[in-house]
């Protein structure tokens, strides 16, 4: 069974704080992803990584950075949290796609509130 | 125009009803297609892939129309446990990046 874990289920931070969200997967997946999910907007991709020390910007990378020093771990960093970063953050991992056979496995999410 | 568009609902149906969700995508070069299910306050999980010839998994049938860039999900004999948000998902290229629709909420009532 694939397991993706995230460091916190709920987090409350103040504006301007540096925030670290950690994600760990135990299935030796090459790909890892960070999304945020907001009502009416669905899931939006922030950053992704296809390998250790590799990262690529998603659709909304502004205000975020990532780190992938080990294959199983992908960290999302908010350098200076702002109230518009209040959201549900979801991490996912996957093997590379093989034709139409492809699945991303999600962690339980971290609900971040920035006050 | 959004890359993947869905009717957000909510769809409120009685148990036993048949319900259909539709989804359109904008990138005609999209490679593969999926439906994910997300329960309230839970993470999304793959429900089924969508193949060009259409495919069925029990009470669930998925169809793809590449010419119209349209995907559908049909649920027959709805159960209370089918209540969830259904996400239409598209893989636009050969890589692993997915584009998610905003989801369609289904509520099945007794």
């Amino acid at each position: 069974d694939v397991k993706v874990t995230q460091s916190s289920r709920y987090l409350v931070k103040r504006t301007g704080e540096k925030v670290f969200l950690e994600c760990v997967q135990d299935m030796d997946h090459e790909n890892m992803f960070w999304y945020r999910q907001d009502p009416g907007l669905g899931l939006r991709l922030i950053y992704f990584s296809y390998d250790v020390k590799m990262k690529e910007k998603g659709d909304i990378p502004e205000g975020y950075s990532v780190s992938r020093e080990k294959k199983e771990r992908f960290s999302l960093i908010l350098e200076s949290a702002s109230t518009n970063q209040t959201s549900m953050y979801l991490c996912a991992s996957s093997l590379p796609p093989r034709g139409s056979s492809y699945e991303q496995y999600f962690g339980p999410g971290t609900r971040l509130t920035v006050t | 125009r959004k890359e993947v568009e869905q009717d957000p609902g909510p769809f409120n149906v009685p148990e036993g009803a048949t319900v259909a969700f539709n989804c359109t995508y904008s990138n005609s070069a999209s490679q593969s297609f999926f439906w994910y299910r997300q329960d309230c306050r839970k993470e999304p999980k793959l429900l089924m892939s969508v193949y060009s010839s259409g495919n069925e998994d029990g009470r669930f049938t998925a169809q793809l129309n590449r010419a119209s860039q349209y995907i559908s999900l049909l649920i027959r004999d709805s159960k209370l446990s089918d209540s969830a948000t259904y996400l239409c998902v598209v893989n636009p290229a050969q890589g692993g990046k997915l584009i998610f629709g905003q989801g369609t909420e289904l509520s099945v009532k007794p």
Side-chain angles (χ1 to χ4, degrees):
Chain A
D1 234 13
V2 176
K3 194 156 187 188
V4 181
T5 56
Q6 295 183 228
S7 48
S8 307
R9 290 302 302 270
Y10 300 93
L11 209 52
V12 180
K13 294 291 182 180
R14 294 194 183 277
T15 301
E17 278 193 86
K18 191 168 185 174
V19 182
F20 293 87
L21 302 182
E22 294 260 296
C23 175
V24 178
Q25 50 94 4
D26 66 358
M27 283 301 292
D28 203 33
H29 284 171
E30 283 87 348
N31 302 340
M32 295 190 75
F33 307 83
W34 274 107
Y35 296 88
R36 62 177 284 176
Q37 186 173 30
D38 301 286
L41 297 176
L43 275 84
R44 293 180 291 165
L45 183 63
I46 304 171
Y47 267 97
F48 58 106
S49 169
Y50 288 147
D51 203 349
V52 176
K53 295 197 187 294
M54 290 182 65
K55 61 185 178 184
E56 292 197 38
K57 292 180 180 179
D59 300 316
I60 50 163
E62 297 79 18
Y64 303 95
S65 62
V66 290
S67 172
R68 190 146 181 222
E69 296 296 317
K70 293 185 177 181
K71 191 174 186 180
E72 68 271 18
R73 191 177 297 267
F74 192 34
S75 302
L76 180 70
I77 302 146
L78 288 66
E79 293 290 341
S80 177
S82 63
T83 54
N84 62 12
Q85 292 179 309
T86 291
S87 187
M88 171 66 84
Y89 289 88
L90 289 156
C91 175
S93 73
S94 75
L95 292 168
R98 290 181 188 174
S100 58
S101 175
Y102 181 56
E103 182 173 0
Q104 288 187 9
Y105 297 85
F106 284 84
T110 296
R111 184 163 293 283
L112 172 67
T113 303
V114 183
T115 61
Chain B
R1 183 185 171 189
K2 289 181 183 174
E3 289 187 74
V4 179
E5 292 205 64
Q6 295 180 249
D7 181 345
F11 283 58
N12 296 304
V13 303
E15 266 188 296
T18 295
V19 61
F21 305 136
N22 302 319
C23 167
T24 57
Y25 60 96
S26 61
N27 183 350
S28 59
S30 294
Q31 297 291 312
S32 48
F33 309 88
F34 311 90
W35 284 99
Y36 275 65
R37 171 191 168 131
Q38 186 172 22
D39 292 319
C40 189
R41 295 193 180 88
K42 297 279 193 178
E43 70 273 21
K45 292 185 180 178
L46 179 66
L47 177 67
M48 58 197 301
S49 301
V50 186
Y51 303 121
S52 296
S53 55
N55 49 301
E56 195 172 300
D57 182 2
R59 297 181 293 107
F60 297 81
T61 301
Q63 301 237 304
L64 168 64
N65 184 324
R66 282 191 184 271
S68 302
Q69 295 177 211
Y70 171 95
I71 306 157
S72 66
L73 177 68
L74 184 78
I75 305 175
R76 289 181 301 278
D77 188 24
S78 299
K79 312 288 184 196
L80 297 177
S81 57
D82 293 336
S83 297
T85 296
Y86 291 84
L87 303 169
C88 177
V89 184
V90 172
N91 184 350
Q94 294 288 355
K97 189 176 159 183
L98 295 178
I99 308 296
F100 287 77
Q102 66 173 1
T104 297
E105 186 183 344
L106 171 66
S107 180
V108 181
K109 307 288 188 190

